[in-house]
Amino acid sequence: NVAKAQGYYRFDQINRDYFERLRNVVREAKRNDLFVEVTFFAPFEGDRSPWVAGNKQAAAPNPTTGLIEQVGFTDPRWAVISDPPNAANLRMQGFQKTIVDWTIDWLGCYDNVWWEIANEPEQGNIDPNRVIAWQQQMIAYAKASEARYLRTNATPSKPLQARHPIAVQPFHKTAAEFWRTPLGSCSVATPAGCRPDVINGHYTQVLTNKAAPFPGTGVDNQLTVGAIRLIREFSNPMKVFGLNEDNITPLGGPKGTRTFKTDIPPATLDARQFGLPDPVRAEAWEFLLHGGGTFDHFGYRYTESNGQKVRDQLGRIRAYLAGLKVHELLASPPGPTGAGWSDVGPYPTNMSWDSENLSRKHWGAMESRNWQSAGSGRSFMLYIHRSTPRCRGDNDDFNRRVDPATGRVDFKCGGQNLAFDAYDGRRRPTLRYQEIGLTLHLGSKPGTFDVFWLDPTNPGAAPLAQEQIQWKPTPQSCKGSSPCKITSPRYPYDALLRIVQG
């Protein structure tokens, strides 16, 4: 987004061709009823980044002499720290503000965009509190920059009726906990009160090694917050939570999605299928039914078959949830037996394992407000998928084993799953999974309920199975039996349950 002249990227000159292309993308997205998240900075992307002085890629006029000179952060980590130690790095933060101004100038008139401060600004070797402070400063500056276009009683001719939402993307538990707190007084003069409107997660789980923090502090800077933990542990109904990056379909290897056929003993290479849409669908359903507001699968091979299948399935999910007015439902708080209205089982931990089905049963659920005491309008959704984390080795399998050295039973990966991980989908091509005797708790008032088991790949199609039950709260019973139990059809990987009071 900066112009290139005389062999250098010029931080004082805008690249108009770049912003014109970007504006065309936003314009086309608006025609297709899509939102675009525009990220200002990707501070650790690219070995030849012009932002780093050592790469000798960028230049700007000297503010005193006017002569063109090389510029850049003396260490890339100063790009995301609020108080760099010298004039060279402070000057680069001024160029960051210029990028914010240019982006808002070119795209701020569109109502289908929101701003993200930075892509993955937290690294395992940076004090997360310093990154928080830098992002607060950038949030404050983005608001101030956009205020130039905001319509008020004093400026009725300005084009913007309201400012655009602003997003951050945490990996550290300190940051995740901090960002979900309410907005305070937020301005360039008082950035400490700044908070985001959108909180993004990446990957299903994240677990990095500890490293020496930068600058030198004693803070625990291990990155442990993937998107699923983010939405489960740090949610806030006043903020939008999103999952906007995971493993890429249809790539193979560590960066690609993978599905594993568990019915094939021993685990031959053809049991591992890369690039399938199944794990993407699982992430989307589970995240959205935990109350997530946005989902964007990170995939850029649009013309390949499995990439098209991903978009087709995500489009079907979007259409189905929009038709249900899912925003009127709440995420079901997890409990020791599952969701409060369904004993689907506890959510899996790092040591959970279903040895019979060679998987973990992950789930997400939603419920209508005040269903415990409502006499009408009760509604519930439950999504289940059978997955595990991914092992680091393409030919390895996440499974139980006996450690020959210690005799202890642990996981075959030995903890060596990917630091930035995604689901390894587990299919049972011959045996299939089934929810047998799923106990329901549908509130304190009696009622008639329609029960639908739907195909998660095409939820708007005819149900795979359905029945009508008469719910009685005292004692809890249906179909003439207590407790009230239902059973799913057999399914190969994932299942979707919808219950609606008639």
Side-chain angles (χ1 to χ4, degrees), residues 152-165:
T152 66
N153 291 335
T155 58
S157 62
K158 296 287 186 177
L160 288 183
Q161 294 184 9
R163 69 172 183 85
H164 293 80

Side-chain angles (χ1 to χ4, degrees), residues 34-307:
L34 296 173
F35 283 87
V36 179
E37 182 175 70
V38 178
T39 303
F40 293 132
F41 307 108
F44 305 109
E45 295 293 329
D47 295 335
R48 300 290 292 167
S49 169
W51 289 90
V52 181
N55 291 337
K56 299 179 180 180
Q57 293 284 305
N62 182 288
T64 301
T65 67
L67 298 176
I68 302 302
E69 60 184 5
Q70 291 182 0
V71 296
F73 285 105
T74 58
D75 186 299
R77 291 170 291 189
W78 290 121
V80 297
I81 293 176
S82 59
D83 52 348
N86 56 45
N89 291 302
L90 284 170
R91 184 182 181 194
M92 291 305 297
Q93 289 198 339
F95 292 134
Q96 288 179 325
K97 295 174 181 177
T98 299
I99 296 295
V100 172
D101 285 336
W102 288 346
T103 306
I104 289 173
D105 289 344
W106 279 74
L107 302 177
C109 62
Y110 290 93
D111 61 3
N112 64 319
V113 300
W114 69 83
W115 319 121
E116 183 183 54
I117 299 300
N119 174 70
E120 299 183 0
E122 298 169 20
Q123 301 284 294
N125 59 357
I126 306 178
D127 181 344
N129 295 290
R130 307 286 279 273
V131 181
I132 288 171
W134 171 75
Q135 291 195 94
Q136 287 182 291
Q137 290 181 352
M138 298 311 298
I139 291 171
Y141 189 79
K143 288 184 175 182
S145 179
E146 203 164 74
R148 295 173 295 151
Y149 298 100
L150 278 176
R151 186 181 310 162
T152 66
N153 291 335
T155 58
S157 62
K158 296 287 186 177
L160 288 183
Q161 294 184 9
R163 69 172 183 85
H164 293 80
I166 299 176
V168 297
Q169 188 269 303
F171 275 147
H172 194 280
K173 60 185 180 182
T174 296
E177 181 63 44
F178 180 84
W179 290 126
R180 72 168 176 170
T181 57
L183 175 72
S185 175
C186 176
S187 69
V188 173
T190 58
C194 295
R195 299 294 187 275
D197 310 288
V198 181
I199 302 177
N200 284 322
H202 288 184
Y203 302 97
T204 56
Q205 68 175 22
V206 170
L207 182 62
T208 66
N209 296 323
K210 294 183 179 181
F214 176 90
T217 65
V219 68
D220 172 9
N221 63 325
Q222 188 177 30
L223 307 183
T224 61
V225 181
I228 298 299
R229 183 183 177 192
L230 180 69
I231 191 71
R232 285 177 53 80
E233 297 184 21
F234 301 99
S235 62
N236 180 327
M238 300 305 294
K239 297 181 186 291
V240 176
F241 280 70
L243 196 168
N244 65 353
E245 184 174 333
D246 59 358
N247 279 23
I248 304 168
T249 302
L251 294 184
K255 289 297 184 182
T257 56
R258 189 178 81 157
T259 300
F260 188 83
K261 299 177 184 177
T262 59
D263 287 350
I264 302 176
T268 57
L269 292 182
D270 63 358
R272 299 166 177 82
Q273 295 179 296
F274 288 96
L276 298 188
D278 300 36
V280 181
R281 179 178 70 250
E283 291 176 11
W285 273 119
E286 183 186 347
F287 187 81
L288 294 172
L289 293 197
H290 269 110
T294 75
F295 183 91
D296 174 22
H297 175 55
F298 181 44
Y300 45 75
R301 296 190 174 187
Y302 307 112
T303 60
E304 296 194 21
S305 173
N306 283 332

Side-chain angles (χ1 to χ4, degrees), residues 375-378 447-451 468-469 499-502:
S376 61
R378 284 168 279 181
T448 301
F449 289 84
D450 293 310
V451 178
Q468 191 174 83
I469 61 174
I499 300 177
V500 185
Q501 186 174 9

Side-chain angles (χ1 to χ4, degrees), residues 237 288-292 325-333 339 341 364-372 379-381:
L288 294 172
L289 293 197
H290 269 110
K325 297 183 179 179
V326 70
H327 59 278
E328 297 180 356
L329 302 178
L330 300 174
S332 298
W341 59 272
M366 300 198 83
E367 59 196 35
S368 54
R369 299 174 188 271
N370 304 316
W371 63 270
Q372 296 92 337
S379 178
F380 308 91
M381 289 191 71

